[in-house]
Amino acid sequence: MRGERMKAMMLQVEGDVRFVNAAVVALGCFFLLYVFSFYPIFLVPLIALLCGVIAFRSPPFGTIAASLFAMPAVAYQSGLFGWIFVGILSFVMIKAFDEHLQAWKLISVTYILTMSPFTIFGPLVIPFYMVSGLLLGSKKGAMVAFFSVLVVLSLSVMWQTQNNGYMFYDVRDFSGLYNTYGAVFKDFKLDRPALGLTQTFIGFSTAAANMFDVGNILKNLNYAINGVLSILLMLFITPYGLSQVIAWTGAVFLIGFLPGRTRYKSKNVVASAWALIIVIEVFIAAFFSDLNIYAANPFLFSLPNYVVLLLAPASFLFGLGTIWLLEKRGVDLSREAIVLKEEKEAKFSEFGLRDLSLTAGVESLSDVGGYEETKQEIIDTIVKPMKKKEYSTAYGLKPAKGILFFGPPGTGKTMMMRALAKELDIGFYYIKSSDLLSQWYGETEQRITKLFKTARDNAPCVLFFDEIDAIGKKRDRYSSDDVGPRILSTLLQEMDGFKSTKDVIIIGATNIPREIDPALMRPGRFDKILYMPLPDKHSREEIFEVHARKFPVADDVDFKKLAAKSERYSGADIANLCTEAARRAARLAEEVDRVVPVTMNDFLEVIDSMRPSTTLSQLEDYEEFRNDFERRSTPLKKEKEKPEDAVRWEDVVGLDDVREALLEALEIPLLHEELMKEYKVKPIKGVLLFGPPGCGKTMIVKAASNELDATFLYLSGAGLMKTGFQNAVSTIKETFNRAREKAPAIIFIDEVESIAQSRDMAVSSVGEKVITQLLTEMDGVKGLKNVMLIGATNKPELLDPALLRPGRFDKIMFIHPPLKGAREELFMKNLEGVPLSKKVDFGELAEETDGYTGADIASIAQEAKMKLVRSRLGGKRKVLKQKDLLKIIDGRRASVTPAHLKTYFGFLEEYGERR
């Protein structure tokens, strides 16, 4: 486990920005205390480490701690410096907690850049400036660089020494200033040595005395101010001073600027290469400042001047190589894009909005598993029009004004939006719709109006309304005095207002799409309405594999099997399932003190104990809404997940004529429409299947739903009646409309007699309305092209006669009990794979089961198989014999009686059979 602990620690260091923050604060503190000698030298790194630890928890507090530790050191060296540092400390205390300004980072980086040139680490100042440009961004980085270069040059002049940071000045230009302000500059010199551990407390009193020597400070203050201003003026009018300020500031600006505007792979390295400007400027400044005159007073680094000059390109290459290694490891130091987005995000601060593109997680749409059609739809309607302007111009394409995502919870709607935010690389603001609601009258409408105005002012951007049903609910759901309709009206007006604004997109997400007001869903507001279904089998396998990468997995884990056993699980369900499986293994690992991989058994036990978060009823509601409202350019490929025991054509025995009727009704009108028109043949509208229970009526329809490439809509007569007659009328109407929209389609009504009972027997006028509605839909006043109704009943005598005429049920088929050949085939199919004696005679079994239905034969086979199971549990391995099957048959009776058959034959005599 020791190796795993080390690995976990390294991964944490690599991925946690707090370690970077701590390092910046610690380095700033170290260089500050190193230059202003006060504490014993061995204490300096310890104090810096302490400030870094504080910064790990809170960077502002770490910066304040570093400044407080430096305060006595600065005052110990110079009282005037002490008062200057009081101003700096005051600024730190006030601004350190400004989240958007991030003053703590500016201050710590400034400490590094201004103090490091006066230490033995000065030759590394070019890499420091490279990193500061990347970390701070172009504007803040340039500001810090401008200030730092001026401070370094000014301190070099005042201390009358060259620095180790390649920033040069010519002492001859400042000889007049030394004559005038020399005495004051002496007060700025750092000529006091560091104290010993026992002398430190005395040093505090010396620092306090320097600070409160008010008379001396006031006496020199005016000279000090004039001296500093004179130095700055001289630096700006000398070629080496002005050129250095421009070169260092400009290089840092470019280093910070470029990565935020480019997306190529090595953007940090390419941007950092602009530090070559600094290297060139080092040689130019050395020439103008006549560096050779300092042979008697070499650099603090105590090397010959030409060697020091050669260190500049070496320092540049070292910085470039370091950044290349970090980028290769996946560490992106560039903050320019983030800084720009944070500036925009600050304008939405009063609404408490977060920019999803600033959050951790997926980096692009390609990182989202599955949903290929939905991702392509987003790319075509938003990403391409916004990124590839040439195509937008050529074809007049514009991004969709709005997209509504709906689907079960946990399917990845928010994750998809987070990926889209990273893909677009623009402001992408997450709005929890319920947070916009206020208890005060009119405030919610005002907040919505102000939010949209802010979005317009900061375009291009995306407003992502999660749970949009909270403010977009149907107006008939509210009472007359409720504020909901007013809120919705305001939202609709603001969405319409975007017609004159480019590149501002509204995206909504909901788990209850039926609650959304229809006015919100029209094109021009939500141009696209996209379904986010539960992941299919292949996608679930990918999701399992992605989450399993986070922990050790045993060789016996079969992700395909896990995907097959997790039907109806959402992505969030699978993530939770993997976490629980890993937790089981972790408990065992803790007991044995070693890494224990997650096994297949861990996954299976968790699956058995966890239920999916989406019910079958919810899935039906989503599917209905999808059929009614979904708008997408390319249809969503719905891959039916057929269980291993799904019914197929070959499973249906003895019903070939029914199969041919179904295929003829759907395939011929589709494939040979011109022939149908030539011979004026009208497609079949309906098929009635009647006969005893267990003869295969429902089975043939199940096979059709699995095998035919058609929309399959199911209605249960009993289920419709549970909702009441009035709702049954609406449901029938909606189902036929949905079938017309999704043709070719099959509508299957099981127990059709329960809703199409003869009107002479109807219990009420409402019941007659149900029958009337069904007859109206079958007559196809609205047209039933490529739509077929299949009805199944055990009691055909109860059906309304009007339903049975041609043009409604064109085919009426009696599904009789299987004949001898079919019964023989049924026995063979149901006993397939079972160890049988060679003497088993399927013909004899078929003879003995005259009048038995397919369900009867399946039940006989099931009992025979259970007998083998019981034998196996008893330790014996047996084969199934003829006498075993005959014994079971002797104890059974056919489920279809002569009385039943008499009823069906009577119906046939009255209405006939149309095959």
Side-chain angles (χ1 to χ4, degrees):
M1 291 297 289
R2 185 179 301 170
E4 291 300 318
R5 293 189 190 102
M6 183 63 67
K7 180 181 176 183
M9 186 166 54
M10 291 305 296
L11 287 173
Q12 188 178 9
V13 170
E14 186 176 335
D16 198 335
V17 71
R18 292 179 298 177
F19 287 98
V20 177
N21 296 340
V24 170
V25 172
L27 273 178
C29 179
F30 174 79
F31 287 127
L32 192 60
L33 298 183
Y34 189 98
V35 172
F36 289 92
S37 301
F38 176 69
Y39 299 101
I41 192 66
F42 70 88
L43 275 183
V44 171
L46 296 179
I47 294 172
L49 181 62
L50 174 62
C51 292
V53 171
I54 297 172
F56 183 82
R57 303 296 299 174
S58 172
F61 274 120
T63 306
I64 291 171
S67 302
L68 288 174
F69 275 115
M71 183 69 219
V74 176
Y76 170 75
Q77 291 291 341
S78 169
L80 277 174
F81 263 143
W83 282 105
I84 293 172
F85 204 79
V86 167
I88 295 174
L89 184 59
S90 301
F91 177 81
V92 173
M93 300 286 283
I94 294 169
K95 292 290 187 179
F97 294 94
D98 189 328
E99 204 172 305
H100 296 287
L101 180 61
Q102 288 195 316
W104 68 267
K105 187 180 291 185
L106 299 179
I107 294 162
S108 292
V109 171
T110 302
Y111 287 162
I112 296 172
L113 298 183
T114 55
M115 296 294 106
S116 61
F118 299 101
T119 69
I120 60 174
F121 301 97
L124 295 176
V125 75
I126 294 179
F128 291 158
Y129 272 85
M130 288 180 176
V131 173
S132 68
L134 293 172
L135 284 179
L136 298 178
S138 57
K139 295 178 183 177
K140 293 178 182 177
M143 178 184 70
V144 169
F146 177 85
F147 177 78
S148 300
V149 173
L150 282 179
V151 170
V152 171
L153 287 171
S154 300
L155 291 178
S156 296
V157 172
M158 285 188 289
W159 293 340
Q160 300 179 42
T161 181
Q162 294 291 347
N163 58 79
N164 292 338
Y166 319 113
M167 301 175 203
F168 310 125
Y169 77 101
D170 195 332
V171 70
R172 294 170 299 185
D173 293 331
F174 296 91
S175 57
L177 288 177
Y178 292 143
N179 294 332
T180 306
Y181 301 105
V184 176
F185 289 162
K186 285 181 180 179
D187 286 342
F188 284 108
K189 289 188 69 76
L190 310 182
D191 51 6
R192 294 186 176 184
L195 300 173
L197 186 60
T198 57
Q199 298 172 318
T200 304
F201 291 103
I202 300 173
F204 282 111
S205 62
T206 304
N210 288 343
M211 285 286 295
F212 292 102
D213 187 2
V214 180
N216 184 53
I217 291 173
L218 291 177
K219 175 184 175 183
N220 295 323
L221 183 60
N222 187 48
Y223 278 99
I225 293 173
N226 290 334
V228 171
L229 291 176
S230 299
I231 290 172
L232 293 174
L233 179 62
M234 289 295 295
L235 288 173
F236 276 110
I237 64 176
T238 54
Y240 57 80
L242 183 60
S243 65
Q244 286 183 97
V245 171
I246 293 174
W248 289 74
T249 304
V252 171
F253 177 83
L254 290 172
I255 290 170
F257 180 85
L258 293 176
R261 275 78 178 177
T262 54
R263 294 180 66 86
Y264 45 80
K265 190 174 181 180
S266 301
K267 59 183 180 180
N268 289 340
V269 175
V270 174
S272 300
W274 284 96
L276 187 61
I277 295 173
I278 296 175
V279 178
I280 296 171
E281 175 55 31
V282 166
F283 287 92
I284 294 174
F287 172 78
F288 277 111
S289 62
D290 195 7
L291 189 62
N292 291 327
I293 69 170
Y294 299 111
N297 183 23
F299 281 41
L300 294 177
F301 201 66
S302 301
L303 288 174
N305 299 326
Y306 66 87
V307 176
V308 174
L309 286 178
L310 292 177
L311 285 175
S315 178
F316 164 74
L317 293 174
F318 173 77
L320 204 63
T322 303
I323 291 170
W324 177 79
L325 285 173
L326 290 173
E327 199 163 41
K328 191 176 181 182
R329 290 279 298 173
V331 179
D332 185 5
L333 294 177
S334 172
R335 294 270 303 169
E336 176 72 4
I338 296 174
V339 168
L340 293 175
K341 289 177 182 178
E342 285 176 344
E343 290 175 357
K344 279 193 175 183
E345 187 183 57
K347 298 176 182 178
F348 291 87
S349 58
E350 67 174 291
F351 307 104
L353 302 189
R354 294 182 296 125
D355 188 342
L356 283 184
S357 63
L358 296 176
T359 58
V362 291
E363 295 297 323
S364 66
L365 288 170
S366 59
D367 295 335
V368 179
Y371 301 110
E372 297 304 323
E373 295 86 359
T374 300
K375 288 189 290 187
Q376 189 60 47
E377 190 82 22
I378 293 172
I379 290 171
D380 291 341
T381 56
I382 296 182
V383 179
K384 284 184 179 178
M386 294 189 74
K387 284 192 168 186
K388 297 186 177 181
K389 299 294 184 182
E390 63 274 19
Y391 294 105
S392 302
T393 304
Y395 296 99
L397 300 177
K398 294 181 180 179
K401 294 175 182 176
I403 297 179
L404 177 65
F405 286 92
F406 70 95
T411 53
K413 296 183 287 295
T414 303
M415 181 177 66
M416 185 80 79
M417 292 304 95
R418 187 175 285 111
L420 177 60
K422 300 287 182 69
E423 194 85 36
L424 291 176
D425 202 25
I426 63 173
F428 201 106
Y429 303 104
Y430 174 86
I431 306 160
K432 192 171 183 180
S433 301
S434 56
D435 291 345
L436 291 173
L437 302 177
S438 172
Q439 60 179 331
W440 305 110
Y441 186 86
E443 186 174 353
T444 302
E445 298 94 303
Q446 186 179 7
R447 285 171 63 84
I448 292 174
T449 301
K450 196 169 183 180
L451 170 63
F452 277 70
K453 182 181 183 302
T454 305
R456 292 187 188 99
D457 295 339
N458 292 277
C461 67
V462 177
L463 296 180
F464 172 42
F465 290 86
D466 200 6
E467 302 172 6
I468 195 171
D469 47 273
I471 58 175
K473 193 175 293 185
K474 288 181 180 177
R475 280 167 278 199
D476 58 11
R477 296 285 196 272
Y478 297 99
S479 59
S480 58
D481 58 343
D482 209 315
V483 299
R486 294 202 316 273
I487 295 172
L488 178 59
S489 297
T490 303
L491 178 64
L492 295 176
Q493 290 172 7
E494 293 299 333
M495 291 181 72
D496 289 339
F498 281 116
K499 291 180 179 179
S500 60
T501 305
K502 295 182 179 179
D503 295 344
V504 179
I505 299 168
I506 306 300
I507 296 180
T510 180
N511 300 323
I512 45 175
R514 287 288 180 191
E515 294 296 314
I516 301 293
D517 193 274
L520 196 62
M521 294 188 291
R522 73 159 174 82
R525 288 167 181 159
F526 284 127
D527 296 324
K528 297 287 183 179
I529 300 178
L530 305 179
Y531 181 36
M532 290 285 287
L534 293 174
D536 58 22
K537 185 177 179 180
H538 177 69
S539 297
R540 291 197 301 273
E541 184 180 347
E542 287 185 351
I543 296 170
F544 269 111
E545 290 176 351
V546 167
H547 289 291
R549 293 175 194 155
K550 302 174 184 176
F551 47 78
V553 178
D555 294 335
D556 68 336
V557 174
D558 185 347
F559 292 113
K560 286 187 178 180
K561 185 175 180 181
L562 291 175
K565 291 186 70 67
S566 55
E567 187 178 356
R568 204 158 43 87
Y569 280 67
S570 67
D573 291 334
I574 294 174
N576 186 40
L577 190 152
C578 290
T579 300
E580 291 300 321
R583 188 171 285 123
R584 288 172 58 88
R587 284 196 293 266
L588 180 58
E590 186 178 4
E591 294 175 6
V592 299
D593 194 30
R594 61 180 177 83
V595 176
V596 176
V598 182
T599 64
M600 187 68 178
N601 186 59
D602 292 325
F603 282 110
L604 293 177
E605 289 194 12
V606 173
I607 290 176
D608 289 341
S609 62
M610 293 179 63
R611 302 274 72 81
S613 57
T614 306
T615 65
L616 290 169
S617 175
Q618 288 173 322
L619 287 180
E620 290 177 3
D621 292 340
Y622 290 128
E623 193 63 35
E624 285 183 9
F625 186 86
R626 174 197 168 193
N627 289 331
D628 288 341
F629 295 103
E630 187 177 36
R631 283 195 295 271
R632 59 168 68 232
S633 302
T634 53
L636 183 65
K637 292 179 183 177
K638 185 183 178 185
E639 297 181 4
K640 287 186 179 180
E641 294 189 34
K642 300 177 183 178
E644 294 180 2
D645 57 348
V647 180
R648 293 171 172 80
W649 289 130
E650 58 266 23
D651 298 326
V652 182
V653 177
L655 297 176
D656 293 339
D657 50 353
V658 182
R659 172 187 170 181
E660 292 302 321
L662 297 178
L663 291 174
E664 181 180 283
L666 287 172
E667 292 186 353
I668 292 180
L670 283 176
L671 300 177
H672 304 285
E673 187 176 1
E674 68 285 350
L675 289 177
M676 300 280 287
K677 289 181 178 179
E678 182 180 346
Y679 291 100
K680 297 181 180 180
V681 178
K682 294 182 179 180
I684 295 172
K685 288 185 178 179
V687 175
L688 176 65
L689 307 178
F690 75 94
C695 291
K697 298 184 295 298
T698 304
M699 177 179 283
I700 188 70
V701 178
K702 284 182 179 180
S705 70
N706 288 326
E707 298 284 4
L708 291 176
D709 187 17
T711 303
F712 189 85
L713 302 174
Y714 173 77
L715 288 174
S716 167
L720 283 173
M721 291 300 99
K722 287 180 182 177
T723 63
F725 284 106
Q726 195 62 48
N727 288 333
V729 171
S730 300
T731 302
I732 291 171
K733 184 177 180 180
E734 288 177 8
T735 302
F736 274 86
N737 286 336
R738 195 171 294 120
R740 291 184 186 95
E741 291 175 356
K742 300 293 182 179
I746 295 175
I747 301 173
F748 175 50
I749 304 180
D750 202 4
E751 305 171 40
V752 66
E753 78 281 355
S754 60
I755 63 169
Q757 202 172 55
S758 174
R759 278 169 286 191
D760 296 336
M761 303 169 62
V763 295
S764 67
S765 60
V766 180
E768 290 187 15
K769 290 180 181 178
V770 175
I771 303 169
T772 303
Q773 183 66 43
L774 182 61
L775 294 173
T776 301
E777 296 294 344
M778 292 191 70
D779 284 337
V781 176
K782 297 180 182 178
L784 274 181
K785 186 177 180 181
N786 292 330
V787 175
M788 183 174 65
L789 174 68
I790 301 177
T793 180
N794 300 322
K795 296 184 177 297
E797 70 277 6
L798 299 181
L799 291 173
D800 193 274
L803 198 64
L804 302 174
R805 72 163 175 81
R808 287 169 180 160
F809 279 132
D810 297 289
K811 301 282 186 180
I812 299 178
M813 300 183 181
F814 177 40
I815 310 300
H816 51 74
L819 301 177
K820 179 184 175 183
R823 292 197 300 275
E824 187 174 345
E825 190 175 344
L826 282 169
F827 270 111
M828 294 173 64
K829 183 169 287 294
N830 282 283
L831 293 174
E832 187 177 2
V834 177
L836 298 174
S837 170
K838 294 181 179 180
K839 295 183 179 180
V840 170
D841 184 355
F842 291 109
E844 183 183 356
L845 295 175
E847 288 282 357
E848 295 294 328
T849 53
D850 186 25
Y852 281 60
T853 66
D856 293 334
I857 294 172
S859 177
I860 292 168
Q862 186 73 8
E863 186 172 337
K865 293 175 188 177
M866 281 303 300
K867 182 176 181 180
L868 294 178
V869 171
R870 287 191 292 269
S871 299
R872 183 70 179 274
L873 291 174
K876 298 178 181 179
R877 190 183 292 268
K878 290 187 176 183
V879 296
L880 201 59
K881 298 179 180 179
Q882 181 82 352
K883 62 179 182 180
D884 298 325
L885 292 166
L886 292 174
K887 184 178 180 181
I888 296 172
I889 293 171
D890 288 342
R892 300 292 185 97
R893 293 292 179 271
S895 59
V896 180
T897 65
H900 290 149
L901 292 175
K902 184 178 180 180
T903 302
Y904 296 127
F905 290 143
F907 182 82
L908 284 173
E909 287 179 7
E910 186 173 355
Y911 291 100
E913 186 178 21
R914 298 190 288 268
R915 284 185 176 263

